[in-house]
Structures are given as structure tokens and as C-alpha cells.
């Protein structure tokens, strides 16, 4: 085959352009060669330049067709990157459509120039230098094509040429924007939207240009009219490729809250819902399933906007998403859960969902999907939604009574960080103000051991933080109301007198806290939390240590053994060093509340003789004097 190619090339080079069919016959044979790499060793650019400039239109057409085929090879793309060749092609395109209306030659030139531009910045730069971008963009204005037979092919290769050119990056895309490409594309989309079925090919070969501009021009916001047209095309189209293009473009545009509201009011979410209901049984291929997921994700994205969420809450979409909780399709089910989680961003919505038993449906779904082998994305969505639902105080008791805790505790066996993070956050929100539940969970050995483990070993910072915070919250909400009397605030008696305020016998059950402390690493966890990155966690650690000190570091003989163990554990964990580090690193940013809790914690620790000496070793008293907010109090 290579020998035959060599002979054809030699014949072409030695043949002068004649009025007979010799030249076109040779060109046809060359263009029909299936492997363009067979031409790689030949220098063909000069020969074909001569052919593209001849007066015979048929020869020029066949020459352009040959170049289109030959430049499918990277080697020949580089060889044909010549200023004269590209200038000749641009000059021809400058006169499209021709007087006779034929599109055969423009089609082949678009193919040839498009292939030369493919992954070829040198060719793109030459087009730009020759101001060829104005010529290329003018092709988009050609709407009334008389050559009906070749019109679809011209539309296709025009789109391909412009795509390969604009893929050259941000500079070319911005230049096209300056030349008005968005207005041109808007007109084409308007035409396509007027009859989607009739103009399907036009849209399929034009929308990719919008995608390229979106990728290359930062923060490109479409005109609202264009976004609406894309939404209407999606609703009318039965072509999956066209639907995917519309979804991807709208997905990018919907990053803007303004566009989210626009699309919500235009009914896009209901349109997607209806399309998914219509075609859900046909999503059997990976491509169809990917398209279905993209559509689902757009519904959820639009719901992340506050205004769009509030608007859609008043539409049938809310009920549609509740209905999807009964779906057997994992993607529709997950979307329903994610949607409801986004609706549950206000207390009134959360309370409504509990009153309407939507919360119970979510729990039923979770009960069926709370194992280690179940879908992680669905689990994450369910926990996110339930976390939101349990935040309003009026909901807490109802959600607890419905079995939330019993349903999610088996999920402690799951070790996927995103799920664990949401699981711990949900539990933390649930115990807020729920003393009875907090007391129960402090006794849950499996839970506490797992929290200690995650607080030390997780590579996921969120899991580490939530593990520590949940332990601190359990202590706080189980015992704070019982020992609040022992935590003075500004204006109370001097903090140094705090030991005198701790009664000799507390009339509350310490068993939950005792069982918590019996788990190895719990005291260490609270002490290590003192130097957490976030002030809120530092404060929570101080409150937890204050509670432990009030409960155990008293003068009551009944608790002497436990008090001794706690002292030893605190010293072993080097609480003095941690407090010193806390003051040194965070003193400038401490709030009044944190400083008060810090003082309380230190003074409570001082009620134990061993700890007094330990704190003195770390110079805690002197460090306290360096806290700016305390210095301010002193100078007032």
C-alpha cells in the first residue's frame, strides 16, 4: 500500500492541472486512502497549495478534501501549517456562499482547516494573525443555505472548524466574544428552539461552541433569554446528546443564584422531573444513567439557592420529591432525599416535614440503607437531611421518639469519612438540650470507643473534629444544668473562692459520666481538644473539663477514688502544657466567654492538690495575666 501511495504522490507532483480528469482522479484516489499516516514521510504542502489556487473549482474541492484526510495525521497537520495555505483557505471562506450557492467547496475547506487546527496552536495563531477569526465567525451568520442537499454537512463542519479553533484557549475565546459570537449563537439557538425537531442538527453542532466558551471564559454568564431557550430546548428534545448539552450548559450557568431562581420560575425542575418519570425505565445503559444523574444533579443544584428553594417550596416539586422517597431507583431516591435536605434549611420547613411525617419516611429509607454495603451517597444525603430536621428545638423530641438514634447507631460500623462526618454531626445536633439522651449515649461503650478511635486516627479532619465535639457535647448536655451553680461569671464571687461553692454531696447520678471515663482515652481526648484549631472547639473542651472537675474534684469522700483517678489522668495527659499552649496561641483572639471558661477551668483544677503543683510547673498563673481581654478588665 505504501508503494502505491508513493506512486500516486509522484504522479500528482508531475502532473500539470489539466482540463481532463487526470488530476481529479489522482486526488480522489489519495483522499480515499484509509490510513493518513501513510503520507507522513511526504512533503505535500507546496504541491497542494498550487492545487488549491487553481481556477478549476472541482480540483480545488478535491484538493481540499485530500488535505482534510491527510491532516488527520499529526505529522501532516504540522507540515500543512503554512501561512500561504491557511490564507488561501480563508480567502475562499470569505466568499461563502458562492454565487451558485454550492456548499461543496466550503465544506471541504472547513474540514481541511478544521483538521489543521486540531491541537495545533501554531495554526490557530496564523489564523489570528491573518484576522481569519472574523472570517470564521461570519460563517455563523449563514442561515439561508440554498444547497439543501449539503446544508446539514456544512453546518456540521462549520461547527467542527470553529470548535477546533476556539479550543485554543482563553485568548481566542475572549477575542471571539469581542467580535460578537454570543449574539450570533443566541440567534442560532433562537432558531433551533422554534422547532427543536427540525433544527436538531443545527443545535447539536452549535451548542458545543457555547460549552467551549464557558470553559475558556471565566465567569461567563449567559443572557437570561438564552438560559430560558436552553431550558425550552431540553423540554422539547428527544435526542439524548442534545439533552446532555443543554443540561451541562444549564448546570454551569446555575452556579449563579440569580440563574437558579430564573430556571426555578421557568419550571425547569418540573420539566426535568417529568422527563425522568417518562424515561426512567429506559436508563439501562451507562450513558443513559449518566444523563439521568446529570439531570438529577441540576434539580439539587437549583435547590441550593435560597430564593429558588423558597420559590420551589410552593410548587408541586415538593410533593414530587417526597414521592421519590418511595422510588426503587437509587438515583431518583437519592435526589428526593437531597432535595428535601435542601428544603429543610429553615426551621418552618423542618417543623412542617416532621408534622407531615416526611421525617418518618426518611427514617424508613435510612433503616433500609444503614449498613456497610449500602449506597454511600444515599447514606450521606439521608444523614444531611435528618441533621437539618433535628436542629429546631420543637422537632427534637419527635425525631428521637421516631427512632433516629436507634437507626443511625448501627452506622458506626461504616468507616467512609463523608458518612461518618454526617453521622456524628447528626448525633451532635440531636443531643443538643436533650439531657436524657446524652446520659444514655455516655454509657454507650461502642459509641464512645469509636469516637475516641476516630478522634486519634482519622485522616479526615472533619471526622476528628466531630468526634471530639460530640464527646464534649454529650458531657455538656448531660450535666451542665446540674453543675451550673459552680461556674461563676463576671460579677459573681471571685473565681478563687470556687472551691467553697462545690457542695460535699451532689444529688445527681454520676454513673453515665463514670462509664464514659472508664473508656480509655476519653480524658486525653478532651485535653487534646484544648488546642484545636477552632475557638469554638477550644471553648467546648473547657466546658467539658469544667464539668468533669465539678463532678469529681470535690471534697466528697464518696468520690475520692474517682477524683484521684481523674487527677492522675489529667496530669498524665499533661493538661498544664495544653492550657499553656492554648493561652500562648489563642490569647489574642479569645472571646469573653472563652476567657471566663478558661478561668473557671483553671480554678476548678486548683481544687485538687496534685493539680495545683502541676499547673504551677507550667506557669499558668503568669500566662493568664498575658491575656489581653483580662488586661483590659484590670485597667478599667
Amino acid at each position: 500500500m505504501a508503494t502505491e501511495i508513493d506512486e500516486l504522490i509522484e504522479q500528482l507532483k508531475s502532473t500539470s492541472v489539466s482540463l481532463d480528469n487526470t488530476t481529479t482522479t489522482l486526488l480522489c484516489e489519495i483522499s480515499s486512502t484509509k490510513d493518513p499516516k501513510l503520507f507522513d514521510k511526504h512533503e505535500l504542502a507546496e504541491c497542494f497549495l498550487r492545487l488549491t489556487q487553481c481556477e478549476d473549482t472541482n480540483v480545488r474541492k478535491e484538493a481540499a478534501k485530500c488535505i482534510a484526510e491527510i491532516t488527520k495525521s499529526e505529522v501532516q497537520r504540522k507540515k500543512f501549517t503554512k501561512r500561504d495555505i491557511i490564507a488561501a483557505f480563508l480567502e475562499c471562506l470569505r466568499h461563502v456562499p458562492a454565487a451558485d450557492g454550492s456548499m461543496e467547496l466550503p465544506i471541504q475547506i472547513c474540514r481541511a482547516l478544521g483538521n489543521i487546527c486540531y491541537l495545533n496552536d501554531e495554526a490557530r495563531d496564523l489564523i489570528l494573525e491573518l484576522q481569519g477569526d472574523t472570517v470564521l465567525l461570519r460563517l455563523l451568520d449563514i442561515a439561508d443555505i440554498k444547497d439543501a442537499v449539503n446544508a446539514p454537512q456544512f453546518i456540521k463542519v462549520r461547527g467542527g472548524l470553529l470548535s477546533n479553533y476556539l479550543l485554543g484557549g482563553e485568548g481566542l475565546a475572549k477575542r471571539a466574544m469581542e467580535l460578537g459570537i454570543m449574539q450570533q449563537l443566541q440567534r442560532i439557538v433562537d432558531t433551533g428552539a422554534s422547532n427543536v425537531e427540525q433544527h436538531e442538527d443545527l443545535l447539536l453542532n452549535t451548542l458545543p461552541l457555547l460549552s467551549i466558551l464557558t470553559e475558556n471564559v471565566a465567569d461567563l454568564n449567559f443572557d437570561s433569554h438564552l438560559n430560558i431557550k436552553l431550558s425550552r430546548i431540553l423540554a422539547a428534545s428527544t435526542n439524548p446528546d442534545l439533552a446532555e448539552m443543554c443540561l451541562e450548559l444549564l448546570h454551569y450557568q446555575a452556579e449563579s443564584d440569580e440563574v437558579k431562581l430564573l430556571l426555578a420560575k421557568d419550571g425547569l425542575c418540573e420539566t426535568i422531573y417529568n422527563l425522568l418519570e417518562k424515561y426512567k425505565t429506559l436508563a439501562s445503559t451507562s450513558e443513559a444513567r449518566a444523563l439521568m444523574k446529570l439531570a438529577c444533579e441540576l434539580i439539587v443544584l437549583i435547590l441550593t439557592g435560597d430564593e429558588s428553594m423558597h420559590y420551589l417550596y410552593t410548587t408541586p416539586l415538593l410533593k414530587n420529591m417526597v414521592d421519590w422517597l418511595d422510588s426503587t431507583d437509587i438515583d431518583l431516591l437519592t435526589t428526593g432525599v437531597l432535595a428535601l435536605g435542601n428544603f429543610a434549611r429553615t426551621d418552618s420547613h423542618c417543623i412542617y416535614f416532621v408534622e407531615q411525617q416526611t421525617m418518618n419516611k426518611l427514617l424508613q429509607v435510612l433503616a433500609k440503607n444503614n449498613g456497610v454495603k449500602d449506597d454511600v451517597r444515599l447514606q450521606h444525603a439521608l444523614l444531611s437531611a435528618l441533621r437539618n430536621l433535628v436542629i429546631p428545638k420543637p422537632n427534637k423530641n419527635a425525631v428521637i421518639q421516631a427512632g433516629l438514634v436507634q437507626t443511625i447507631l448501627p452506622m458506626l460500623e461504616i468507616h467512609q469519612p463523608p458518612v461518618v462526618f454526617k453521622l456524628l454531626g447528626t448525633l451532635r445536633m440531636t443531643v443538643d438540650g436533650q439531657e436524657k439522651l446524652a446520659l444514655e449515649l455516655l454509657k454507650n461503650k461502642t459509641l464512645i470507643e469509636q469516637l475516641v478511635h476516630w478522634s486519634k486516627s482519622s485522616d479526615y479532619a472533619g471526622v476528628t473534629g466531630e468526634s471530639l465535639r460530640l464527646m464534649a457535647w454529650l458531657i455538656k448536655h448531660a450535666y451542665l444544668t446540674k453543675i451550673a451553680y459552680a461556674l461563676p461569671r463576671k460579677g459573681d464571687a471571685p473565681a478563687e473562692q470556687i472551691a467553697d461553692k462545690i457542695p460535699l454531696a451532689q444529688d445527681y447520678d454520676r454513673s453515665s459520666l463514670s462509664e464514659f471515663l472508664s473508656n480509655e482515652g476519653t480524658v486525653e481526648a478532651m485535653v487534646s481538644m484544648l488546642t484545636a484549631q477552632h475557638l469554638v472547639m477550644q471553648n467546648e473542651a473547657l466546658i467539658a473539663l469544667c464539668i468533669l472537675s465539678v463532678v469529681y474534684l470535690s471534697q466528697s469522700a464518696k468520690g475520692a477514688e474517682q477524683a484521684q483517678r481523674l487527677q492522675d489522668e489529667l496530669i498524665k495527659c499533661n493538661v498544664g502544657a495544653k492550657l499553656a499552649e492554648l493561652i500562648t496561641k489563642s490569647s489574642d483572639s479569645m472571646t469573653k466567654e472563652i476567657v471566663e471558661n478558661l478561668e473557671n477551668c483553671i480554678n476548678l483544677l486548683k481544687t485538687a492538690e496534685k493539680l495545683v503543683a502541676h499547673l504551677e510547673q507550667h506557669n499558668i498563673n503568669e500566662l493568664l495575666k498575658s491575656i489581653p481581654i483580662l488586661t483590659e478588665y484590670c485597667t478599667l
Side-chain angles (χ1 to χ4, degrees):
M1 186 66 187
T3 304
E4 293 176 16
I5 295 296
D6 295 343
E7 291 175 0
L8 284 173
I9 296 300
E10 288 305 315
Q11 290 180 53
L12 184 65
K13 287 182 176 180
S14 62
T15 302
S16 59
V17 179
S18 58
L19 296 177
D20 60 25
N21 293 328
T22 305
T23 303
T24 54
T25 300
L26 287 170
L27 290 171
C28 286
E29 289 188 51
I30 291 171
S31 64
S32 64
T33 304
K34 297 188 182 301
D35 184 1
K37 290 184 178 180
L38 293 171
F39 297 97
D40 281 357
K41 68 180 181 180
H42 294 283
E43 301 298 329
L44 304 172
E46 295 301 326
C47 172
F48 276 96
L49 173 61
R50 175 172 55 87
L51 294 170
T52 58
Q53 293 174 329
C54 79
E55 293 182 4
D56 189 326
T57 301
N58 202 38
V59 171
R60 290 162 64 199
K61 180 192 74 174
E62 291 301 330
K65 185 178 180 181
C66 280
I67 295 173
E69 296 300 327
I70 292 169
T71 53
K72 288 179 179 178
S73 155
E74 182 180 358
V75 171
Q76 286 295 352
R77 275 203 296 278
K78 298 296 184 184
K79 291 182 178 181
F80 273 85
T81 305
K82 305 287 186 184
R83 188 183 187 88
D84 290 343
I85 291 175
I86 290 175
F89 283 156
L90 290 173
E91 182 60 27
C92 180
L93 291 179
R94 204 180 298 273
H95 301 290
V96 176
D100 63 0
S102 172
M103 301 303 288
E104 289 188 14
L105 177 58
I107 285 171
Q108 297 307 329
I109 290 177
C110 284
R111 288 186 64 225
L113 195 52
N115 285 347
I116 291 172
C117 283
Y118 179 69
L119 297 177
N120 188 350
D121 285 335
E122 187 182 352
R124 293 165 180 150
D125 290 342
L126 281 173
I127 290 174
L128 190 61
E129 287 174 20
L130 293 164
Q131 296 186 335
D133 51 354
T134 59
V135 177
L136 301 188
L137 292 181
R138 199 182 64 80
L139 298 175
L140 291 172
D141 293 328
I142 301 173
D144 185 18
I145 303 173
K146 294 178 182 178
D147 186 353
V149 174
N150 289 303
Q153 182 66 6
F154 172 71
I155 289 169
K156 180 179 179 180
V157 297
R158 174 183 69 180
L161 167 57
L162 281 163
S163 292
N164 283 354
Y165 174 71
L166 290 173
L167 282 167
E170 183 181 3
L172 298 182
K174 284 187 173 180
R175 162 78 174 163
M177 294 282 290
E178 293 169 3
L179 292 173
I181 190 173
M182 285 303 297
Q183 290 77 13
Q184 294 173 295
L185 296 176
Q186 172 80 65
R187 288 194 291 272
I188 294 174
V189 170
D190 283 346
T191 300
S194 66
N195 189 328
V196 174
E197 184 178 0
Q198 179 184 338
H199 298 294
E200 190 174 90
D201 285 339
L202 178 65
L203 291 167
L204 283 170
N205 291 288
T206 302
L207 295 189
L209 297 176
L210 285 173
S211 297
I212 293 168
L213 292 172
T214 295
E215 290 168 6
N216 285 283
V217 179
D219 302 319
L220 174 58
N221 296 315
F222 294 171
D223 182 85
S224 58
H225 177 78
L226 178 55
N227 283 319
I228 293 298
K229 289 297 182 183
L230 290 171
S231 176
R232 303 289 168 79
I233 292 167
L234 175 63
S237 175
T238 56
N239 184 303
D241 293 329
L242 187 55
E244 183 177 9
M245 290 178 192
C246 290
L247 285 169
E248 287 178 344
L249 287 168
L250 290 169
H251 207 287
Y252 182 87
Q253 291 300 307
E255 294 294 336
S256 157
D257 284 351
E258 186 178 337
V259 176
K260 289 183 180 77
L261 181 60
L262 174 77
L263 297 175
K265 288 185 173 180
D266 191 55
L268 177 61
C269 291
E270 287 87 344
T271 294
I272 293 174
Y273 170 80
N274 292 328
L275 289 172
L276 289 171
E277 282 294 298
K278 183 177 180 181
Y279 295 115
K280 63 184 178 183
T281 56
L282 303 177
S284 55
T285 66
S286 58
E287 293 83 2
R289 179 56 59 174
L291 183 60
M292 185 177 184
K293 287 182 177 180
L294 188 62
C296 289
E297 287 167 3
L298 186 52
I299 292 178
V300 176
L301 177 60
I302 291 172
L303 280 168
T304 60
D306 287 337
E307 288 186 81
S308 53
M309 180 273 286
H310 282 290
Y311 174 81
L312 290 168
Y313 185 76
T314 65
T315 70
L317 184 72
L318 176 59
K319 182 182 182 301
N320 294 340
M321 295 299 98
V322 174
D323 290 343
W324 271 356
L325 294 183
D326 297 318
S327 177
T328 55
D329 185 290
I330 188 68
D331 289 312
L332 299 185
L333 173 59
T334 303
T335 302
V337 174
L338 286 168
L340 291 169
N342 276 295
F343 279 126
R345 295 208 306 274
T346 68
D347 283 3
S348 60
H349 293 179
C350 290
I351 292 169
Y352 174 81
F353 287 147
V354 171
E355 291 173 348
Q356 296 298 312
Q357 305 293 304
T358 304
M359 173 267 296
N360 298 74
K361 294 190 75 171
L362 288 167
L363 278 176
Q364 289 167 12
V365 175
L366 184 58
K368 297 174 184 176
N369 295 276
N370 63 350
V372 292
K373 294 183 179 180
D374 291 309
D375 189 271
V376 170
R377 186 165 170 261
L378 175 58
Q379 290 174 336
H380 188 271
L382 285 162
L383 290 169
S384 296
L386 289 165
R387 179 189 181 279
N388 287 354
L389 289 182
V390 83
I391 290 174
K393 288 185 179 180
N395 281 1
K396 291 186 185 294
N397 191 54
V399 177
I400 292 169
Q401 292 299 317
L404 171 66
V405 177
Q406 294 91 324
T407 304
I408 63 177
L409 281 178
M411 300 179 78
L412 290 170
E413 296 180 13
I414 298 170
H415 295 281
Q416 294 284 348
V419 174
V420 174
F421 179 72
K422 286 295 180 183
L423 167 66
L424 299 180
T426 304
L427 275 175
R428 186 164 60 82
M429 289 297 105
T430 306
V431 300
D432 185 11
Q434 303 301 306
E435 181 180 305
K436 180 181 177 183
L437 176 61
L439 287 167
E440 290 175 4
L441 292 178
L442 280 172
K443 290 183 175 182
N444 190 315
K445 187 175 181 63
T446 302
L447 170 64
I448 303 304
E449 285 181 346
Q450 192 61 68
L451 292 178
V452 171
H453 171 73
W454 279 329
S455 72
K456 293 179 178 179
S457 61
S458 178
D459 294 330
Y460 192 73
V463 170
T464 301
E466 279 294 341
S467 299
L468 292 168
R469 295 192 74 189
L470 180 53
M471 283 188 274
W473 277 47
L474 289 174
I475 295 171
K476 173 182 174 180
H477 292 287
Y479 286 94
L480 185 59
T481 58
K482 295 179 172 64
I483 58 90
Y485 60 83
L487 302 178
R489 290 288 180 256
K490 289 296 174 187
D492 290 349
E496 287 77 5
Q497 299 175 17
I498 198 167
D500 300 331
K501 298 186 69 176
I502 303 177
L504 293 180
Q506 288 106 337
D507 56 352
Y508 52 84
D509 184 4
R510 308 182 195 181
S511 61
S512 292
L513 201 52
S514 296
E515 289 192 38
F516 170 80
L517 292 175
S518 69
N519 293 284
E520 186 177 350
T522 49
V523 175
E524 181 186 359
M526 293 301 92
V527 171
S528 69
M529 193 177 172
L530 287 170
T531 54
Q533 182 179 355
H534 303 289
L535 287 174
V536 66
M537 291 179 64
Q538 296 169 5
N539 193 43
E540 288 167 356
L542 288 168
I543 292 171
L545 289 171
C546 281
I547 291 170
L548 290 176
S549 300
V550 170
V551 174
Y552 291 111
L553 302 183
S554 69
Q555 306 303 312
S556 169
K558 179 181 178 182
E561 185 179 339
Q562 287 179 317
Q564 190 62 53
R565 282 206 302 270
L566 179 59
Q567 287 183 67
D568 293 342
E569 191 70 27
L570 287 168
I571 293 170
K572 180 182 175 183
C573 298
N574 217 351
V575 67
K578 287 290 183 181
L579 286 167
E581 184 181 345
L582 167 63
I583 297 169
T584 303
K585 289 185 176 180
S586 303
S587 61
D588 290 342
S589 56
M590 282 184 179
T591 63
K592 179 182 176 182
E593 180 187 2
I594 293 178
V595 172
E596 289 177 353
N597 287 327
L598 175 62
E599 286 187 294
N600 286 338
C601 180
I602 290 171
N603 286 305
L604 284 163
L605 293 174
K606 286 179 181 178
T607 61
E609 189 175 338
K610 281 186 178 180
L611 287 170
V612 171
H614 175 72
L615 295 175
E616 285 177 354
Q617 286 177 3
H618 294 280
N619 205 26
I620 297 300
N621 286 338
E622 290 303 312
L623 286 172
L624 275 174
K625 296 175 185 177
S626 69
I627 299 175
I629 196 169
L630 284 178
T631 306
E632 289 171 17
Y633 288 149
C634 294
T635 57
L636 286 176

